[in-house]
Amino acid sequence: MLLLPVVISMTPMTEELGKILAKSLLSWYRENKRELPWRRDRNPYQIWLSEVMLQQTTVVAVIPYYERFLGIFPTVEALAKAPLENVLEQWSGLGYYSRARNLHKAAQVLSANGFPKTAAELLELPGFGPYTSRAVSSIAFNEPVGVLDGNVIRVLTRVMAWDFAWWNNESKNILQKSSDLLAGMGPSHEINQGLMELGATVCTPHKPNCLLCPWQKNCLAFKKGKVLEIPQRKPRKKSEVWVWDVSIYSKNKKIALIKNDYAPFLKNQALFPGKIKRQTEKPKTFDLKHGITHHDIYIRIRKESGHPPKSKDLQWAPIKDVKKINPSNLLQKVLQKIAAKD
Ligand code: SF4
């Protein structure tokens, strides 16, 4: 049997096509954009906050958190002055607490030095990756830089019928150049939000509404009948198996916590003392299982009767305050399991 070579399309977006796409996207976005609280004006702090909250969380889930957070910390200065504990408390429920920690750290730099207007400067701040820097500088300050997130990657790969492995550096470069090209046809704050909006509301992963799409006439995936095959699915990273032996020391309704310098998750945060080991298979017995990013953690809990190992990083925390000290679900799950065992 003759095997035909797989043809991967990598034809770059031309300036001419970019102009056509930018024009139709702009008029569609102006008519169809959703009224979202962070779109009321172009305040950089509010845009930044919304972008950070929207990482890993949906718009509908974010809105009440966003409104409440902004009510308590209405400015960068208010956020910078607040104790980290209060910030984490307001973040509770959104997960991925490193986002809140970085937000707090960056707020201190921003309140001292002012808000930079370019993605290159924003990139230097804690928690600002390429996407957040570009989103904030373009939406708040109209810098002509393109953004790439899941929505934008899907829309661009489909309109160009790019069936390449979009997560490779070479492919990412092509995507970034196209996004920059579109943003350069400005205003970039509308082009970028338009791209994200198109991906979120029309060019959705499983049920794209091509009939309502402003790009349908030019969409190569639509013409080729390959809409649902593009973008390629990224192979999932295999989860690592970790076995965590937790030592629980308690006295007078307090529990021993140490600064985590031994586990590969929740680094430098308050955690129960213990030992952790990576294994190839899950253990036969365990008390709990918890997943953090690509770690499958099998937890074995042991109540200790002696004293915890001496350490300058040890603290005796009232059990009721553990959630404030480290709001991760992982600690709460362990505490609930101990309470159920007692
Ligand atoms: Fe996406 Fe369909 Fe629009 Fe193409 S025509 S960009 S596949 S919604």
Side-chain angles (χ1 to χ4, degrees):
M1 190 173 67
L2 181 69
L3 283 178
L4 294 170
V6 180
V7 180
I8 304 283
S9 167
M10 290 188 113
T11 318
M13 186 184 286
T14 60
E15 205 155 322
E16 200 189 340
L17 177 60
K19 256 186 211 156
I20 297 168
L21 294 178
K23 196 171 167 218
S24 51
L25 182 68
L26 276 180
S27 43
W28 173 84
Y29 177 68
R30 286 170 185 164
E31 272 190 30
N32 294 283
K33 66 178 174 190
R34 290 168 294 176
E35 290 299 322
L36 298 173
W38 45 90
R39 286 190 180 152
R40 283 179 205 133
D41 55 38
R42 291 177 38 218
N43 176 306
Y45 167 58
Q46 294 176 14
I47 289 159
W48 169 44
L49 177 64
S50 70
E51 287 298 340
V52 175
M53 284 190 167
L54 285 165
Q55 291 160 20
Q56 326 275 353
T57 318
T58 62
V59 166
V60 177
V62 158
I63 291 174
Y65 283 97
Y66 172 85
E67 302 274 28
R68 201 181 59 209
F69 197 95
L70 210 56
I72 295 169
F73 312 113
T75 58
V76 175
E77 290 71 27
L79 178 60
K81 271 191 226 144
L84 176 63
E85 252 181 51
N86 295 3
V87 178
L88 292 175
E89 206 179 337
Q90 293 311 317
W91 201 266
S92 179
L94 279 169
Y96 298 93
Y97 291 90
S98 54
R99 292 185 291 169
R101 288 193 175 82
N102 282 330
L103 201 71
H104 188 240
K105 261 193 231 159
Q108 280 152 5
V109 182
L110 291 169
S111 82
N113 304 340
F115 225 109
K117 291 189 168 62
T118 66
E121 291 165 285
L122 287 166
L123 196 55
E124 303 290 318
L125 294 164
F128 275 81
Y131 169 78
T132 313
S133 314
R134 286 165 168 263
V136 173
S137 76
S138 61
I139 300 173
F141 304 115
N142 207 23
E143 190 186 12
V145 288
V147 287
L148 276 191
D149 69 350
N151 282 328
V152 178
I153 289 170
R154 184 169 57 257
V155 175
L156 291 179
T157 50
R158 282 180 175 167
V159 78
M160 297 301 295
W162 280 330
D163 46 3
F164 51 40
W166 54 265
W167 53 92
N168 290 345
N169 284 345
E170 195 190 351
S171 314
K172 278 262 176 84
N173 245 331
I174 295 176
L175 283 160
Q176 187 63 61
K177 276 189 186 145
S178 311
S179 183
D180 286 343
L181 178 78
L182 291 171
M185 305 204 163
S188 64
H189 67 96
E190 288 180 299
I191 294 275
N192 283 349
Q193 290 189 89
L195 275 172
M196 298 179 207
E197 193 81 347
L198 191 63
T201 62
V202 176
C203 193
T204 54
H206 307 297
K207 285 189 184 159
N209 199 341
C210 300
L211 295 179
L212 290 184
C213 180
W215 282 2
Q216 195 214 85
K217 264 200 288 183
N218 301 93
C219 180
L220 294 176
F222 182 76
K223 280 185 191 158
K224 294 180 179 183
K226 289 178 80 176
V227 171
L228 293 180
E229 288 161 44
I230 295 175
Q232 258 197 55
R233 213 174 272 172
K234 187 176 177 182
R236 274 190 66 183
K237 193 171 174 186
K238 208 172 166 266
S239 282
E240 296 173 1
V241 173
W242 290 84
V243 179
W244 182 28
D245 286 300
V246 181
S247 298
I248 297 295
Y249 296 91
S250 59
K251 62 176 183 190
N252 308 330
K253 296 192 177 159
K254 292 184 175 174
I255 203 152
L257 296 177
I258 56 159
K259 191 170 158 190
N260 172 26
D261 63 355
Y262 70 95
F265 46 84
L266 306 179
K267 282 185 187 151
N268 295 319
Q269 297 178 39
L271 203 62
F272 306 114
K275 283 187 196 142
I276 191 151
K277 214 171 146 191
R278 187 166 171 196
Q279 294 195 174
T280 47
E281 302 265 321
K282 74 176 201 183
K284 286 202 175 83
T285 55
F286 56 91
D287 294 301
L288 277 175
K289 186 191 164 199
H290 185 81
I292 298 185
T293 54
H294 60 284
H295 298 96
D296 280 346
I297 308 160
Y298 294 88
I299 306 159
R300 297 191 293 217
I301 304 169
R302 216 167 88 175
K303 289 186 91 174
E304 308 281 0
S305 50
H307 297 286
K310 279 200 175 133
S311 158
K312 65 176 174 35
D313 291 325
L314 180 116
Q315 60 170 310
W316 285 98
I319 295 178
K320 64 177 177 40
D321 291 347
V322 170
K323 195 169 184 184
K324 270 193 192 166
I325 298 169
N326 187 341
S328 164
N329 278 342
L330 176 58
L331 278 78
Q332 291 307 309
K333 269 190 176 175
V334 172
L335 289 178
Q336 280 160 13
K337 189 74 188 177
I338 301 165
K341 272 183 165 185
D342 283 344

